[in-house]
Amino acid sequence: MNRRLFRVLLLAVAMVLGSAATLLAAEVEEPPARDWPHEGIFGRYDKAALQRGFQVFKEVCASCHSARYLRFRDLAGIGLDQATIKALAAEFTVEDCCDENGEPFERPARPADRFPPPYPNDQAARAANGGALPPDLSLIVKARDRGEDYIYALLTGYEEPPADAEPPGEGVSWNPYFPGGWIAMPPPLMEDLVEYPDGTPATVEQMASDVTQFLAWLSEPTMEERKRTGLKYMLFVLVLTGLFYAYKRKIWSRLH
Ligand code: HEC
């Protein structure tokens, strides 16, 4: 191929790739990095934050979102005792099968029951949310890149839409962290939406941080165990390395 033509082609390809990259980058804002107490090899969940976060989930998010892998008894993991869990479960009604006539019946929930979803099925959930499906939140922190930072940014990042942005339909809000910008979830948090029993002021940032930590726990309740096991193995390998080194020196000492 003609050398000059090759160069022009190369330049054209570079320009197209370059502008595509800027376009993609401009579309979603990168969530700012935050420090989370459960990050890092020594990170632990902050139980007080998890309990406040569960309160936000239960009183706010659960009116639209399900958490199908959460059973009431799992809440022992955020530090709730058995009596509290029992009383909490009893606030909810679940459908059970079946009475003596073979009919499903309703009863108060028990600790072994799953946290009841707000809608009976996806169609009902979409119908109530302008056609958009509020996703199940059980694994959402794992399902999104840099899940904690993203969810915190999403919950606190609602803004006025840019002047040239055209909403794709009714009832959408502008959020620069959501891919495409327009999100069918109205801003879910506002100041003092919940009342924390521990007296923590319920600012939007506080509730967003608490519920994000709760969702992180929900997507990996056994994280602390995993890290403890990892540390034990590291220690074991370290001790073993020392032993082998001493042994090696002992064997070689005879040859020197
Ligand atoms: C009024 C109903 C409603 C409430 C309340 C609500 N959401 Fe949503 N949420 C939605 C809908 C609808 C979507 C889907 C948005 C879309 O696809 O445009 C959504 C999407 C999400 C997403 C997924 C975003 C993504 O990347 O796909 C997260 C995370 C989320 N909500 C978290 C929360 C949290 C945390 C709360 C509680 C503080 C909450 N939501 C409260 C309706 C709600």
Side-chain angles (χ1 to χ4, degrees):
M1 198 196 298
N2 180 318
R3 244 201 164 149
R4 201 138 140 231
L5 186 66
F6 183 67
R7 268 198 212 145
V8 170
L9 269 179
L10 207 67
L11 194 71
V13 168
M15 274 167 68
V16 168
L17 284 182
S19 51
T22 18
L23 263 181
L24 283 176
E27 203 163 357
V28 246
E29 211 160 304
E30 192 60 20
R34 290 177 60 82
D35 285 334
W36 299 100
H38 57 275
E39 266 178 348
I41 44 171
F42 297 109
R44 292 260 175 281
Y45 288 123
D46 172 352
K47 291 262 162 72
L50 296 186
Q51 291 181 20
R52 290 194 301 268
F54 170 65
Q55 184 185 349
V56 175
F57 170 75
K58 171 179 158 236
E59 293 178 14
V60 184
C61 321
S63 57
C64 299
H65 291 274
S66 58
R68 72 183 72 158
Y69 298 122
L70 175 66
R71 290 180 190 273
F72 289 101
R73 64 175 176 218
D74 301 336
L75 292 166
I78 66 168
L80 302 190
D81 59 47
Q82 294 310 319
T84 312
I85 292 176
K86 223 170 165 176
L88 177 80
E91 290 174 21
F92 293 81
T93 315
V94 291
E95 200 170 87
D96 203 344
C97 186
C98 291
D99 64 12
E100 59 274 21
N101 301 318
E103 299 291 333
F105 66 98
E106 295 199 326
R107 61 162 173 79
R110 294 191 284 254
D113 287 316
R114 289 172 193 269
F115 195 89
Y119 304 107
N121 50 56
D122 286 359
Q123 288 82 343
R126 279 185 196 278
N129 287 279
L133 181 69
D136 185 88
L137 293 184
S138 305
L139 295 169
I140 197 80
V141 170
K142 297 280 181 203
R144 294 290 178 273
D145 187 30
R146 295 179 47 223
E148 288 94 336
D149 291 338
Y150 168 68
I151 291 169
Y152 179 87
L154 189 75
L155 294 175
T156 54
Y158 284 85
E159 309 179 331
E160 284 297 311
D164 59 343
E166 201 55 54
E170 291 277 296
V172 288
S173 312
W174 181 260
N175 193 312
Y177 298 103
F178 190 66
W182 293 107
I183 184 164
M185 168 166 71
L189 297 174
M190 58 192 116
E191 184 114 10
D192 292 325
L193 195 55
V194 305
E195 199 182 325
Y196 286 134
D198 66 4
T200 307
T203 60
V204 169
E205 289 77 17
Q206 182 70 46
M207 288 182 283
S209 167
D210 291 340
V211 78
T212 301
Q213 291 180 61
F214 170 72
L215 294 176
W217 168 81
L218 189 60
S219 68
E220 197 184 356
T222 56
M223 179 210 65
E224 295 184 355
E225 218 174 289
R226 169 168 68 76
K227 286 182 183 168
R228 261 199 306 276
T229 313
L231 280 173
K232 268 188 226 157
Y233 279 114
M234 298 277 273
L235 200 70
F236 174 73
V237 168
L238 215 68
V239 169
L240 208 65
T241 309
L243 276 176
F244 276 133
Y245 182 65
Y247 191 46
K248 177 244 166 210
R249 284 182 59 113
K250 185 157 181 282
I251 292 174
W252 280 78
S253 66
R254 277 181 252 150
L255 289 176
H256 285 306

